[in-house]
Amino acid sequence: AQSVSQHNHHVILSEAASLELGCNYSYGGTVNLFWYVQYPGQHLQLLLKYFSGDPLVKGIKGFEAEFIKSKFSFNLRKPSVQWSDTAEYFCAVYYGGSQGNLIFGKGTKLSVKP
Amino acid sequence: GAVVSQHPSWVICKSGTSVKIECRSLDFQATTMFWYRQFPKQSLMLMATSNEGSKATYEQGVEKDKFLINHASLTLSTLTVTSAHPEDSSFYICSARDEGRSYNSPLHFGNGTRLTVT
């Protein structure tokens, strides 16, 4: 069965540190890839998405992600985190075209120390 | 770990019929569950927040009478698509948080339901 793996359950960083959150998926066909963020007390918000084209995708708030097809990966990065980036981050993969399914990773909780 | 079970995983129904989708928290209680839908080439869309023992909170543009949500117990929320039409064909997914642990506990997603209306 298809799956999405997020490698870290909880990441703790100091402000200005660089961030990279791993995401790997198992499906070998065409996929749409997403990173979502949930800030405390808020709903899921789309950070960025990849459908096709340039594998380096830039999202909101300085986040970016790189799709590496050969590695089935879509890691999220940010050069310098801020305290306000403290949140839960979810990688999601949509596969299967018009009759497809969406699978979420288990999420990574990011805590940024001021 | 905590699991959210969603049933059925896929369903095909005729236009005009109603379909019920269940979302269960298997080993924790959830006063709040969330219902989303996903269209191809789009991002996830929050439909409504299901609140145990009270009315659901619907997002703007989501028809309350069409997408009926019932959250009768702390472990079960249901979404009923009434008088389904082909444009309701989509992927529906629920999520819930184990609030019994802390407000900061992980968010868990169901495996989703692929609805096809013919």
Side-chain angles (χ1 to χ4, degrees):
Chain A
Q2 287 77 12
S3 64
V4 177
S5 299
Q6 288 185 241
H7 311 305
N8 307 100
H9 176 63
H10 192 186
V11 172
I12 302 172
L13 295 173
S14 298
E15 274 195 316
S18 64
L19 170 71
E20 180 159 3
L21 300 182
C23 174
N24 285 88
Y25 61 95
S26 63
Y27 185 67
T30 301
V31 293
N32 299 154
L33 302 162
F34 305 85
W35 274 98
Y36 289 92
V37 61
Q38 181 152 15
Y39 297 101
Q42 298 184 27
H43 292 299
L44 276 183
Q45 180 179 350
L46 179 68
L47 266 182
L48 47 79
K49 60 189 177 187
Y50 173 81
F51 291 159
S52 63
D54 189 344
L56 185 61
V57 180
K58 294 194 183 299
I60 61 171
K61 303 185 181 186
F63 286 91
E64 66 177 31
E66 185 175 12
F67 170 50
I68 303 179
K69 190 174 182 179
S70 60
K71 295 184 178 180
F72 299 93
S73 70
F74 190 56
N75 292 355
L76 180 71
R77 299 193 292 249
K78 185 170 183 178
S80 176
V81 295
Q82 301 172 314
W83 175 78
S84 57
D85 293 323
T86 296
E88 201 165 9
Y89 294 81
F90 293 90
C91 177
V93 179
Y94 183 88
Y95 66 93
S98 62
Q99 295 294 308
N101 293 339
L102 179 72
I103 299 178
F104 276 85
K106 291 194 180 301
T108 298
K109 196 180 297 290
L110 172 65
S111 299
V112 180
K113 298 179 183 177
Chain B
V3 175
V4 171
S5 172
Q6 194 170 334
H7 178 81
S9 55
W10 60 270
V11 57
I12 301 172
C13 70
K14 291 188 177 180
S15 194
T17 61
S18 296
V19 173
K20 181 186 283 188
I21 303 170
E22 294 186 348
C23 182
R24 291 182 187 273
S25 55
L26 294 187
D27 58 358
F28 66 97
Q29 295 182 332
T31 56
T32 305
M33 292 185 177
F34 304 95
W35 287 97
Y36 304 87
R37 65 189 297 186
Q38 168 89 36
F39 290 106
K41 297 290 187 182
Q42 294 186 26
S43 61
L44 205 64
M45 184 192 86
L46 176 67
M47 299 176 65
T49 303
S50 172
N51 305 300
E52 186 269 336
S54 64
K55 292 182 179 180
T57 305
Y58 289 82
E59 296 301 302
Q60 192 172 11
V62 178
E63 298 176 59
K64 305 178 184 182
D65 296 332
K66 180 162 189 64
F67 298 101
L68 298 179
I69 289 174
N70 184 282
H71 195 152
S73 78
L74 286 170
T75 60
L76 174 64
S77 174
T78 60
L79 168 68
T80 302
V81 183
T82 62
S83 187
H85 291 285
E87 57 265 30
D88 298 323
S89 298
S90 186
F91 185 81
Y92 295 84
I93 192 167
C94 68
S95 71
R97 191 183 297 276
D98 184 356
E99 294 151 7
R101 291 170 57 190
S102 79
Y103 81 97
N104 217 16
S105 61
L107 185 66
H108 303 281
F109 288 89
N111 287 330
T113 299
R114 162 58 62 182
L115 170 63
T116 302
V117 184
T118 61

